[in-house]
Amino acid sequence: MATRDASTLRPASVTARGWGWRHGGRRTPAVHDLDLDIRPGERVLLLGASGAGKSTLLHGIAGVLGGDDEGESVGELLVDGLPASASHGRSGLVLQDPDAQVVMARVGDDVAFGLENLGVAREEIWPRVRRALAAVALDLPLDHATAALSGGERQRLALAGVLAMRPGMILLDEPTANLDPAGVREVRDAVARVAHEEGATLVIIEHRVSVWLPVVDRIIVLGAGGGLLADGRPAEVLGSRAVELRAAGVWLPDEVPWYAPPPAVESGHPLLEAAALDVARVQGSPVLRGVDARVDAGRILAVTGPNGVGKSTLALTLAGLLRPDGGRLEPSAALAAGLLGEPWRWRSRDLLTRIGTVFQSPEHQFLTGSVRAELEVGPRALKLAPEERRARVDELLTALRLDGLAEANPFTLSGGEKRRLSVATAIAAKPRMLVLDEPTFGQDATTWRELGRLIVGLRDDGVGVVAVTHDEPFVEAVADHRLELGTRPNAPGVEQPDAATASTVGVHAAGVARDRGVEQRGPR
């Protein structure tokens, strides 16, 4: 196998001249009228409203948008003066959905995959694999199964695969969206270190502006109507254009767009209670043990904790989609509404109006070819009259700014739009309880606020909400309680859990304590 050409280690440049892209089946372009130059070695933070085309631009630079059957391109998009589609190997892209980037069954093989395709010498591959995994703090054996990784761990794995390749340009699409706060800092520092050592050009899409400010030297803001809204040094853009950016839905450092009012009702009645609950993806191999928790009607419970601790597995168990591995999970009479047994014994049709679920990866729950049809799945299963079904769907389309995308294929939406659609599909059946896994992933400040208002509106209608999240502003602004889970049990290289690391606290909003008086505990 030929060794990799050393010229690929040079930092890459990007040039766009009147460039645009329209996805197949869409009437309006995702990006249009873009004129842009990124010089070799620049560190760029790419901002813009949800749906402004940030991910499309990154995919275009990486040369992975596809051919004429995938969409229509206009203008020029060049990498090092050549068409981006002909510049494979010059850039490494971390996708917004890390699941889409896992290609091998074992962690080490997955990181090595890109190196093998680039023709890196065999004796160099495994040292680079180990260094890349260490850089992103993914402390797992090389033969660890990728299928057993959490969402945040898969995000680290995807980043390790790119860093190991040492490309001339590193393209990151929301690289820390599924990471805990410590992981965010680790990944940022790893990216900065590798970019500095290799001299690589760096382009990052991220709503957590303040996290990346120490790393970047330029901010580019895409306009929702095409072209650029702002471009310049970070201090200049965030200072002189703050009013415009805020109006466009761009997150500004350390700003929380909205705080929810407290619930109008003093306390909600229990919907679901967990006692000494053990949860597992595979029966007999629990990832989390001894959880005591309660989901109340008209309350929002935030579930937080490090990556890999079992938050998503707990969410799926509370939602009735996984069988508990031990302990008890007792629904109230109000939630069960005549059904017997624990939620995992209920039929999917029974769950539809009782417990709605939003998965960590939105694509895992899309079933149809259009946004409108996706929202109609639940109401159709409930056999609602056509006029009632239409009214319910239209209301959700408007509330979540998806009305202009009603006929679009769900898989062509931006990451933020997919997340809002997945939340809307769960809400459409009007369940009594809602379980959300990373509900604010990929949202700009405007859609984050609207999504928060929608969730709080459900709370005020008596719905019990469980939200697994790493979004601290969301917890601060919206949650009534926090269930804080500890470190991941029984994982190689990971510290064992300590009861002192898990607790439930009342959440503060706008500096005012919002403790609702229900004690809940994490792993014992």
Side-chain angles (χ1 to χ4, degrees), residues 102-348:
V102 176
V103 294
M104 304 296 285
R106 298 184 298 185
V107 165
D109 293 340
D110 200 78
V111 178
F113 181 80
L115 299 176
E116 292 169 344
N117 278 277
L118 289 173
V120 174
R122 183 181 298 274
E123 63 272 13
E124 190 180 345
I125 287 178
W126 292 105
R128 281 167 63 167
V129 167
R130 291 185 178 92
R131 284 196 298 270
L133 288 170
V136 301
L138 191 57
D139 185 18
L140 295 171
L142 296 182
D143 62 355
H144 188 83
T146 55
L149 299 179
S150 71
E153 289 168 333
R154 291 185 181 211
Q155 206 159 29
R156 290 176 188 256
L157 178 66
L159 182 58
V162 165
L163 297 184
M165 295 187 332
R166 299 177 184 169
M169 180 160 46
I170 301 172
L171 306 173
L172 307 178
D173 195 348
E174 299 270 9
T176 62
N178 291 326
L179 299 182
D180 56 65
V184 169
R185 293 188 295 273
E186 290 170 352
V187 164
R188 178 202 61 193
D189 293 345
V191 169
R193 182 169 58 253
V194 171
H196 175 73
E197 291 172 353
E198 305 295 341
T201 307
L202 180 62
V203 184
I204 308 158
I205 296 173
E206 181 63 84
H207 288 297
R208 305 183 197 203
V209 175
S210 58
V211 170
W212 291 95
L213 284 180
V215 172
V216 301
D217 50 35
R218 181 180 175 188
I219 287 180
I220 295 173
V221 186
L222 296 188
L228 298 182
L229 179 63
D231 183 5
R233 297 181 66 81
E236 296 170 0
V237 170
L238 296 175
S240 64
R241 308 295 293 275
V243 174
E244 292 173 81
L245 297 181
R246 192 178 291 111
V250 174
W251 282 89
L252 295 177
D254 304 317
E255 283 194 7
V256 178
W258 174 73
Y259 287 94
V265 179
E266 184 68 20
S267 62
H269 61 269
L271 289 175
L272 188 67
E273 293 191 68
L277 189 69
D278 298 343
V279 301
R281 299 279 178 152
V282 178
Q283 290 292 297
S285 300
V287 296
L288 192 61
R289 294 188 177 96
V291 177
D292 295 340
R294 194 172 98 186
V295 182
D296 289 337
R299 293 294 181 271
I300 299 171
L301 172 65
V303 179
T304 60
N307 290 119
V309 75
K311 299 184 300 297
S312 294
T313 306
L314 174 61
L316 292 173
T317 306
L318 295 177
L321 300 179
L322 287 178
R323 177 179 178 174
D325 202 57
R328 293 182 294 110
L329 190 60
E330 297 183 0
S332 69
L335 181 64
L339 297 180
L340 300 177
E342 297 183 349
W344 67 271
R345 297 181 181 276
W346 301 347
R347 299 175 305 169
S348 57

